Amino acid sequence: MSRKKNGKPGYGKILDAWVPPENSGDPKGCIVTSYTFSPELFEEECLKRFLRIGADTQEESLRYLLEREEKLSQNGCAVALIDQHHCQGERNLRWDMIPVRVHGGIMHAKITLLHWQNHIRLIIASANITMEGYRHNREVFGVLDYNLLDSEDNASAEPLSSTLNFLLEILSYASGESPGVKRCNTMVADLKKIIKNFEPVKKQLIQVEAVFSRPKVSSDGEIKGVLGELKELLPAGPPKRADIVSPFFDQSEVASDTNPAFNIWKHMNQRGEAVVTYFVEAEELNDGEKLLVRAPGFIESAKPDGRTSTVKVNLKRILPDELDSARALHLKTIWLENDIYSAYMIGSSNFTSRGLGLSSMPNLEANLVYIFKNDIKTEKSMRASHVEGETIEKTYDFEARKDEEQDGPPEDIALLDAFEQAVYSSDENGKASIEIFLKKKPRAGWTLSNPAESMETLCNEEAWVSQSSPLRFKLAWGTRKPPSGFYVTWSGSPGRAWLPVIIDGQASLPYPNELNDLKLEDLISLLTSARPIAGLLAGLKRKKNGEDRTTVDPHKKVDTSAFLLQRTRRISWALTELRKILEKPVSTIEALDWRLRGPVGAMAIAKAIRREALSGEESAFLLAELALELGRVKPKSEKGYNIDVKKVRAEINALSGEIRALVSLDDLEAIPALKDYVQKAFSEELNGRQL
Amino acid sequence: MLTPVLTLADPAESTEGTIDPLGLYSIAESLASRLAPGVRERQSNPRFLTAMAVSAEVVSGMEEETRSLKDVETEPWQVFEWYLVEGIVRTVVDIEVTGLPGINKAREAIRNDLGLSRDRYLVTPTVFGFHGVYRALAEALNIIEKDGELKETGVELIGQWEKEQGLKGFYCGNEGSGSDMRKMLVKAVIDGIHAGETSRSKNWNGWEFFRKHLFHMDLREKNGAEAKFLRETLTKSNPNLNQIIDYIASREGQKLLEEGWQEASFYRVLRKTASDDLKDLIDAIASYEEFSRLLQDSFDECRVFLTRRKGKTKIKELAESKAVKRAAQSIPECFNTTEDLLKPFGRAEYFKYLFEPFREPVDPAGFARVLVAHHEKIQKNKPPSGKASWFIRFTDEDICIRGGYFVYEYDSVALQGSYVHPYRTRPLNSFLFNLGVIKG
């Protein structure tokens, strides 16, 4: 992605960072973390870009649905790790939403990790994945790219590696046995393996490190915190100047080591001059004569004892957004510099004791630090991504904004610890069940209800006790639409908590009804056309609705699609195309499953043949042709595609066996030559499929 | 290595500029479509209809051509669109280009010395590219088929354009400068399909074609046979559209639109001279918009109330809103009138299906409950798999508003009598300006 947008260096749109770079290949997986979260934005804007879904969610809802199913079911992992207070909402179950439960703190990090076949991208931001964060607020983000084909311009592996370790820490706060957590762990493990093979990058002008906040105590028992780590990253001595931007500050003005406004001085130059500048929002009062500074007043007076002559605090008013002055400030940055180097930190850490890891109950936070020499060119390019401020010349009062995280939205309630997870699975006949995992006995008076069915009660304490209080129990779900989650309430609960449902595997989820049982002719068209599947399906839908145009060409007026010879030839083309698809390298079992048993896969063709063949003989003949083609498949492998060719072959063989079972040789008694051909075809298929 | 990035505002591209929390949009849209079939609020310049006809001629038959390319995920018309947008951006340097979808993407690609491709163009080109924006109108005017092939009017349009532009042989010809140009474009599109991007250098002769012959902002200046044909095609296509266009072009119509663009006043005056069919349609629109205004005003005033409260609120407290009181009193009667007036247009059943709970008279608190429940139902049923409510519900009676939907001020008094939804006067006025009919 480009740094320049609308000609203004240092500015960009965070959603653009979700667009795959050139030659990045197929999407393999993504993991995001966020404090507040909008499942809609994530699915319809973020995943849409990551997976290259071309259809529009609103105007082409069916096409969007179909493309989403195709691409999500083939993607190895899409996981959102969300703070427990905000982990709720309707979603498509093909991606996981997992609550992160930090006791006494919150999961506040905003990490996005995107993995395509040939590319890894790490984004660390101040923005939550919400409409406000991604579209409205003033935020900051950093992007690190790792091209797996050409590493020349790659970032250093260190921040990626430490972020992967941090993600594992975050996962330790989620339900350990959850299938979603397992998928996430697998992706992290895969990426770690890839990173191991990274070549060392050449020395760069700007060094990047990741800095995190979590419960951590240094060896001497002292809390180091983010500021301490940041200072250590700055070469050539302590900082003489610090520029701080934060929408939120601690409320307490007590001088303590855990209050960042006081703690910062510990890390500044101890001999000689030191200056801390706070970039603050300020509103005009009394017809512009006075300003209301959106920060606590004590930041101006918080200085180390006995050093009042050598240390200084400045306030600068952040200039409003040129185009939209109503945009709320949500970005958080700290810029430290001495005479030779600067360290510029961006990310999720507010200038609060919990955000900077100074509190005894710190948040989980993630930041990127850019370290560079203070040459004019580099500093200019880095300053372009720092907010501009002007010296305040008017008189002013202080009024801090309420800290969003410290107080928290009072009405959002976290799920009880007792409820670990709800896992959706289905059997071979498509009958589904949802298994509820409890860690311990929940609070008295608990009820589990289904928001999709007018709050139908699915289970409650009374029913649970009557079944001997099992820690795992199953709810029969049948063929109903899989739910996104359930509401949990209990005696005295101030509201409803959300228990998200996750799937045990992609294969468990049914495809949308629109994709079931496509006609043989439609399947042939899909396989033999160069157009993308969703585009074709839109055309097929028009045909089904009788909207197909009246053709002018008299030759085209005759529908020859049912003529035996034409039909057989078209099916033959389609089977050849199917073979080519099956020979392509495949990266996940789910992708292989889509090719074999998905709505346009080999089994769908077999079933369509059975359903629509003009006779038993035609059915047997065409199924034999299909099996023959499957026998000819020579699966290929490529670097980065994880599924072994033997595994592919084994799955195809299993499918061939199922297709063979669909053929009744008894139906062919009247035509011995055909019976002989079909038998030979299956025999050839059996011989041909040996590797 | 990238440096950090400060975010730019990134407002959502939403259909016709509304997020529609009350499900009012679809009926308004279907009524607007009866006023002006195929015309959409996003449209502004009919020259894109010519561009679509030219595109259809260039890509005709390419489906077969690209059959062998199994990995291709781009349709030929899309590649033509990339060329056109890139061509205009590359060659029109003397004036500021406006009204060209995808222009910023093209500028960025050119700045980076790259061609347009799927990744360097609009995220949803099928909707927001010019083919997407104008497709419905091109179909309604018989310029192209649903599958993109040329229809009779399209053939005539190309004929007029070809003659006026001096491009003999462009349509189906084997000789002449137009034929050569078409062949050059066909080759460029095929190469683009193979490459997955526009595959011509900045020195390519073909870029000039788009400036000279298809630049949308030139139509008004030329005001020749092509513009005349498009004007006639538009007015002949539908009697309602004909009357609206005539009235927009009239001095009285222009005056009304200049006065703050009040479509309610515009259609009220037009009704006096309209045909019976158009009168019925305007009446249905007026009644539906009155219903919509009552609902929309109450909803937005409730948002203001909840925003100021910023916490758990009893729904019955929303009854304090003036707009809620007004709606509770007027909605049942308005419901019945609107239902009757929508019958001739086949929307009465759907209206009932969507808004039935508003038929029964209730007190303001009861109305607020119905309103909140209605919003939740509408959000839940939105494609593809439902959207979140703008409110968080704690119990049957307690809600609060979500952060992204705060509204601090709303003046329902100032909006009384105005329409909630747009009814096509803006795009049609813009069409007439670009066709040289009005001064603008």
Side-chain angles (χ1 to χ4, degrees):
Chain A
M1 54 166 302
S2 167
R3 270 185 296 154
K4 289 188 176 182
K5 298 279 173 182
N6 296 352
K8 194 168 181 183
Y11 282 78
K13 293 176 180 175
I14 195 162
L15 277 170
D16 286 347
W18 281 81
V19 176
E22 302 283 321
N23 304 319
S24 52
D26 297 335
K28 292 198 74 177
C30 74
I31 301 171
V32 299
T33 70
S34 186
Y35 173 57
T36 54
F37 184 64
S38 161
E40 291 158 50
L41 183 100
F42 178 66
E43 186 174 313
E44 295 175 13
E45 300 294 345
C46 303
L47 284 181
K48 182 180 167 180
R49 284 166 173 78
F50 171 66
L51 299 168
R52 297 173 192 259
I53 293 175
D56 181 59
T57 53
Q58 297 285 323
E59 300 202 4
E60 306 166 291
S61 55
L62 176 63
R63 289 181 59 183
Y64 168 78
L65 198 69
L66 302 170
E67 217 174 330
R68 183 191 67 181
E69 287 297 308
E70 181 190 357
K71 294 191 171 171
L72 266 179
S73 61
Q74 296 175 69
N75 183 47
C77 161
V79 181
L81 299 165
I82 309 301
D83 181 76
Q84 59 179 335
H85 298 88
H86 299 279
C87 189
Q88 53 180 278
E90 296 286 328
R91 72 183 211 282
N92 180 292
L93 289 192
R94 294 210 181 272
W95 58 272
D96 299 310
M97 185 166 75
I98 299 170
V100 179
R101 302 163 172 194
V102 185
H103 292 287
I106 56 174
M107 202 297 296
H108 194 245
K110 296 100 168 61
I111 299 169
T112 296
L113 187 59
L114 308 176
H115 182 200
W116 294 276
Q117 198 66 45
N118 306 318
H119 203 96
I120 300 167
R121 176 172 285 168
L122 171 66
I123 306 166
I124 290 186
S126 65
N128 290 305
I129 301 179
T130 60
M131 201 166 66
E132 299 84 37
Y134 266 45
R135 293 202 177 278
H136 301 310
N137 293 343
R138 298 178 78 178
E139 307 272 7
V140 65
F141 64 99
V143 179
L144 300 181
D145 277 315
Y146 303 88
N147 185 333
L148 304 182
L149 299 176
D150 177 7
S151 63
E152 183 152 346
D153 294 325
N154 280 359
S156 149
E158 181 52 35
L160 175 59
S161 176
S162 57
T163 303
L164 290 174
N165 289 333
F166 186 64
L167 281 172
L168 292 178
E169 284 183 56
I170 292 177
L171 282 168
S172 70
Y173 292 96
S175 306
E177 297 303 311
S178 151
V181 171
K182 281 183 191 160
R183 285 188 275 273
C184 207
N185 273 318
T186 305
M187 178 172 157
V188 171
D190 287 348
L191 290 177
K192 283 186 146 202
K193 270 187 218 160
I194 293 172
I195 291 175
K196 267 191 180 172
N197 299 323
F198 274 9
E199 308 224 338
V201 293
K202 62 187 177 192
K203 192 160 173 59
Q204 290 158 330
L205 283 176
I206 303 169
Q207 183 196 338
V208 186
E209 299 284 348
V211 170
F212 307 100
S213 156
R214 80 273 259 186
K216 183 182 176 185
V217 175
S218 64
S219 53
D220 56 3
E222 188 188 7
I223 295 172
K224 191 154 66 169
V226 170
L227 290 172
E229 285 194 48
L230 186 55
K231 178 199 167 187
E232 284 178 9
L233 287 171
L234 181 70
K240 292 184 173 176
R241 292 165 293 280
D243 290 345
I244 289 152
V245 185
S246 174
F248 303 105
F249 297 86
D250 275 359
Q251 303 294 308
S252 166
E253 57 185 273
V254 176
S256 81
D257 230 16
T258 60
N259 187 329
F262 296 93
N263 182 279
I264 181 90
W265 294 108
K266 257 180 68 179
H267 307 290
M268 299 295 291
N269 190 24
Q270 299 297 312
R271 293 176 190 168
E273 292 187 345
V275 181
V276 173
T277 303
Y278 291 96
F279 286 69
V280 290
E281 285 185 296
E283 296 156 21
E284 295 195 343
L285 296 172
N286 306 334
D287 298 328
E289 288 171 11
K290 202 173 186 184
L291 292 176
L292 182 67
V293 170
R294 287 306 200 163
F298 67 81
I299 58 168
E300 203 178 25
S301 54
K303 291 177 191 168
D305 293 337
R307 290 191 60 202
T308 46
S309 62
T310 52
V311 300
K312 195 176 170 192
V313 175
N314 286 333
L315 290 185
K316 281 196 172 179
R317 183 188 183 188
I318 296 171
L319 300 179
D321 185 272
E322 287 167 14
L323 301 174
D324 182 0
S325 59
R327 293 181 68 203
L329 182 86
H330 193 258
L331 62 90
K332 310 105 177 22
T333 64
I334 297 177
W335 181 303
L336 301 183
E337 68 177 34
N338 54 34
D339 292 338
I340 305 169
Y341 284 94
S342 294
Y344 180 29
M345 186 180 89
I346 61 118
S348 66
S349 287
N350 283 309
F351 201 67
T352 60
S353 55
R354 300 174 104 183
L356 293 170
L358 299 169
S359 150
S360 56
M361 290 189 291
N363 300 334
L364 290 171
E365 308 270 6
N367 303 284
L368 282 180
V369 183
Y370 298 77
I371 304 139
F372 50 95
K373 255 190 165 173
N374 297 338
D375 68 82
I376 293 171
K377 199 176 163 194
T378 314
E379 193 169 349
K380 189 181 170 194
S381 72
M382 294 301 289
R383 276 287 173 193
S385 59
H386 190 277
V387 291
E388 294 174 271
E390 62 182 12
T391 305
I392 299 178
E393 287 171 351
K394 295 176 182 173
T395 54
Y396 51 86
D397 290 333
F398 288 98
E399 185 180 310
R401 289 194 193 286
K402 218 173 158 193
D403 187 328
E404 55 169 357
E405 283 84 36
Q406 287 203 330
D407 294 336
E411 314 297 2
D412 284 341
I413 63 166
L415 186 63
L416 290 175
D417 267 356
F419 287 87
E420 271 204 306
Q421 55 176 326
V423 180
Y424 177 97
S425 59
S426 64
D427 64 19
E428 289 166 353
N429 302 317
K431 290 271 168 57
S433 62
I434 297 172
E435 189 162 19
I436 309 292
F437 291 72
L438 299 174
K439 206 181 201 173
K440 56 187 177 187
K441 183 185 172 191
R443 279 198 213 167
W446 66 269
T447 300
L448 194 69
S449 54
N450 179 14
E453 299 286 342
S454 307
M455 304 305 291
E456 156 207 23
T457 298
L458 298 166
C459 190
N460 57 22
E461 187 184 22
E462 198 182 342
W464 180 66
V465 170
S466 73
Q467 289 172 29
S468 312
S469 308
L471 288 180
R472 287 169 66 163
F473 59 92
K474 275 190 178 179
L475 304 169
W477 206 254
T479 53
R480 283 194 286 173
K481 187 185 169 194
S484 299
F486 301 129
Y487 277 129
V488 181
T489 55
W490 55 94
S491 300
S493 61
R496 293 186 285 230
W498 182 261
L499 173 63
V501 171
I502 54 170
I503 53 171
D504 66 341
Q506 295 288 346
S508 281
L509 269 188
Y511 294 112
N513 287 337
E514 293 90 332
L515 271 176
N516 288 335
D517 301 332
L518 286 171
K519 287 184 176 174
L520 183 58
E521 187 58 31
D522 294 345
L523 290 165
I524 293 169
S525 296
L526 287 166
L527 287 164
T528 54
S529 172
R531 294 170 63 193
I533 282 177
L536 277 158
L537 282 165
L540 296 176
K541 191 174 163 246
R542 283 203 297 273
K543 265 189 185 176
K544 275 183 185 170
N545 295 343
E547 295 170 19
D548 209 20
R549 70 194 172 91
T550 315
T551 186
V552 179
D553 182 349
H555 295 295
K556 290 182 183 173
K557 278 191 171 174
V558 185
D559 180 9
T560 56
S561 60
F563 290 6
L564 185 62
L565 198 58
Q566 287 244 10
R567 181 178 157 98
T568 308
R569 198 167 60 194
R570 281 168 53 71
I571 291 173
S572 171
W573 286 344
L575 297 183
T576 307
E577 293 304 329
L578 176 70
R579 175 166 56 79
K580 287 182 191 167
I581 292 170
L582 291 172
E583 286 180 344
K584 285 184 181 176
V586 60
S587 54
T588 63
I589 284 290
E590 287 77 13
L592 178 60
D593 195 58
W594 172 273
R595 292 177 189 178
L596 293 174
R597 297 171 197 280
V600 292
M603 197 46 159
I605 294 175
K607 284 180 178 171
I609 289 171
R610 278 281 290 173
R611 215 171 36 236
E612 296 176 37
L614 303 174
S615 64
E617 290 83 0
E618 191 196 25
S619 169
F621 173 72
L622 292 175
L623 288 173
E625 290 286 290
L626 172 58
L628 209 52
E629 207 65 56
L630 290 176
R632 289 177 188 143
V633 172
K634 290 180 181 157
K636 294 189 179 89
S637 179
E638 249 177 51
K639 193 185 169 192
Y641 289 86
N642 295 338
I643 304 301
D644 184 73
V645 292
K646 285 183 181 167
K647 172 74 179 165
V648 177
R649 189 64 255 178
E651 290 293 323
I652 293 173
N653 291 351
L655 187 83
S656 294
E658 290 173 42
I659 292 170
R660 170 71 181 80
L662 296 174
V663 179
S664 165
L665 289 175
D666 295 343
D667 290 348
L668 307 178
E669 292 301 339
I671 314 174
L674 180 59
K675 184 179 178 184
D676 187 41
Y677 174 76
V678 169
Q679 277 178 319
K680 274 187 181 164
F682 274 105
S683 153
E684 187 178 333
E685 176 267 320
L686 287 169
N687 293 331
R689 72 192 189 196
Q690 303 304 316
L691 274 177
Chain B
M1 170 73 66
L2 291 176
T3 53
V5 185
L6 293 171
T7 58
L8 290 164
D10 189 9
E13 292 167 321
S14 73
T15 312
E16 310 282 346
T18 175
I19 306 169
D20 199 25
L22 298 170
L24 293 163
Y25 173 77
S26 62
I27 290 178
E29 184 61 15
S30 82
L31 294 173
S33 295
R34 284 173 180 271
L35 280 175
V39 179
R40 301 284 184 267
E41 292 297 324
R42 264 200 300 271
Q43 295 166 356
S44 61
N45 195 318
R47 190 59 180 302
F48 287 112
L49 295 170
T50 312
M52 287 184 75
V54 171
S55 167
E57 171 59 11
V58 169
V59 307
S60 167
M62 278 189 197
E63 184 78 1
E64 287 299 312
E65 191 83 38
T66 56
R67 180 182 287 281
S68 60
L69 300 173
K70 279 306 296 178
D71 291 333
V72 166
E73 290 209 12
T74 307
E75 297 188 55
W77 62 262
Q78 182 61 77
V79 179
F80 181 89
E81 184 170 307
W82 294 342
Y83 277 111
L84 183 142
V85 175
E86 188 175 332
I88 301 245
V89 173
R90 282 189 183 279
T91 56
V92 181
V93 290
D94 47 344
I95 59 165
E96 189 186 349
V97 179
T98 55
L100 178 65
I103 186 170
N104 289 331
K105 296 280 184 185
R107 281 180 180 148
E108 190 178 330
I110 291 167
R111 214 169 26 235
N112 294 324
D113 203 19
L114 296 166
L116 277 182
S117 67
R118 198 173 47 154
D119 294 339
R120 294 182 220 116
Y121 194 55
L122 300 164
V123 177
T124 316
T126 49
V127 176
F128 297 109
F130 76 78
H131 277 92
V133 172
Y134 290 87
R135 188 178 298 282
L137 184 57
E139 286 175 17
L141 299 179
N142 285 326
I143 290 171
I144 58 163
E145 301 259 18
K146 276 191 185 302
D147 64 2
E149 283 183 31
L150 271 177
K151 277 186 91 173
E152 313 86 72
T153 312
V155 173
E156 270 189 79
L157 174 59
I158 287 207
Q160 296 285 346
W161 169 82
E162 176 188 290
K163 201 170 164 189
E164 189 167 68
Q165 300 289 330
L167 289 170
K168 192 180 170 199
F170 191 93
Y171 178 68
C172 291
N174 271 327
E175 287 179 2
S177 61
S179 171
D180 295 344
M181 186 53 73
R182 190 192 69 241
K183 286 170 190 164
M184 182 162 79
L185 291 171
V186 167
K187 189 160 184 336
V189 171
I190 289 175
D191 289 349
I193 292 169
H194 283 265
E197 62 180 347
T198 53
S199 52
R200 291 294 181 268
S201 76
K202 61 183 175 188
N203 300 320
W204 181 46
N205 291 337
W207 296 125
E208 276 293 322
F209 166 84
F210 299 103
R211 182 182 67 82
K212 280 187 187 164
H213 306 294
L214 283 178
F215 181 37
H216 56 291
M217 293 169 77
D218 269 355
L219 186 64
R220 177 181 169 81
E221 204 170 300
K222 273 218 162 79
N223 199 10
E226 180 197 347
K228 187 165 177 263
F229 182 81
L230 282 168
R231 196 161 61 232
E232 285 172 5
T233 303
L234 271 169
T235 50
K236 280 182 192 164
S237 68
N238 180 278
N240 288 344
L241 186 56
N242 187 13
Q243 293 172 74
I244 298 167
I245 284 178
D246 278 354
Y247 191 59
I248 289 177
S250 72
R251 191 175 294 173
E252 191 184 4
Q254 281 295 295
K255 192 162 172 280
L256 271 171
L257 291 177
E258 280 164 15
E259 289 168 0
W261 217 286
Q262 285 286 340
E263 285 190 312
S265 315
F266 176 89
Y267 283 110
R268 202 162 39 240
V269 181
L270 170 61
R271 186 188 179 281
K272 291 176 192 166
T273 54
S275 66
D276 288 346
D277 285 350
L278 183 55
K279 263 184 195 151
D280 289 347
L281 183 54
I282 292 172
D283 287 345
I285 287 171
S287 185
Y288 182 70
E289 285 303 310
E290 187 188 340
F291 179 86
S292 299
R293 175 56 65 207
L294 288 166
L295 242 58
Q296 190 68 48
D297 285 356
S298 351
F299 185 74
D300 284 330
E301 275 201 3
C302 288
R303 284 172 64 199
V304 173
F305 187 93
L306 291 164
T307 303
R308 288 177 183 161
R309 183 64 66 84
K310 277 201 179 76
K312 197 191 277 186
T313 306
K314 297 265 178 228
I315 295 180
K316 66 181 178 191
E317 293 180 68
L318 301 174
E320 290 172 27
S321 149
K322 283 180 188 163
V324 168
K325 285 179 184 156
R326 196 163 52 236
Q329 193 178 12
S330 313
I331 277 270
E333 190 185 335
C334 186
F335 181 98
N336 291 328
T337 313
T338 307
E339 185 188 356
D340 284 345
L341 290 169
L342 286 175
K343 275 179 189 159
F345 306 102
R347 305 309 290 166
E349 283 305 313
Y350 188 54
F351 176 75
K352 265 169 39 186
Y353 164 76
L354 284 176
F355 304 111
E356 184 72 34
F358 293 102
R359 186 198 288 273
E360 294 304 316
V362 282
D363 62 11
F367 176 82
R369 282 187 199 100
V370 174
L371 185 67
V372 171
H374 171 74
H375 163 69
E376 289 171 336
K377 183 181 127 193
I378 290 293
Q379 292 297 98
K380 194 177 155 190
N381 291 333
K382 277 185 179 170
S385 47
K387 309 248 178 192
S389 161
W390 294 12
F391 309 125
I392 297 169
R393 191 185 269 275
F394 302 100
T395 65
D396 288 346
E397 188 59 21
D398 296 308
I399 58 168
C400 80
I401 187 164
R402 288 170 55 206
Y405 303 101
F406 286 176
V407 178
Y408 291 92
E409 283 178 18
Y410 186 78
D411 188 354
S412 66
V413 177
L415 290 166
Q416 269 182 43
S418 64
Y419 286 177
V420 172
H421 304 99
Y423 283 89
R424 308 298 191 250
T425 57
R426 273 182 196 278
L428 290 174
N429 193 63
S430 180
F431 280 10
L432 294 182
F433 172 77
N434 285 305
L435 290 168
V437 178
I438 57 171
K439 284 183 184 168

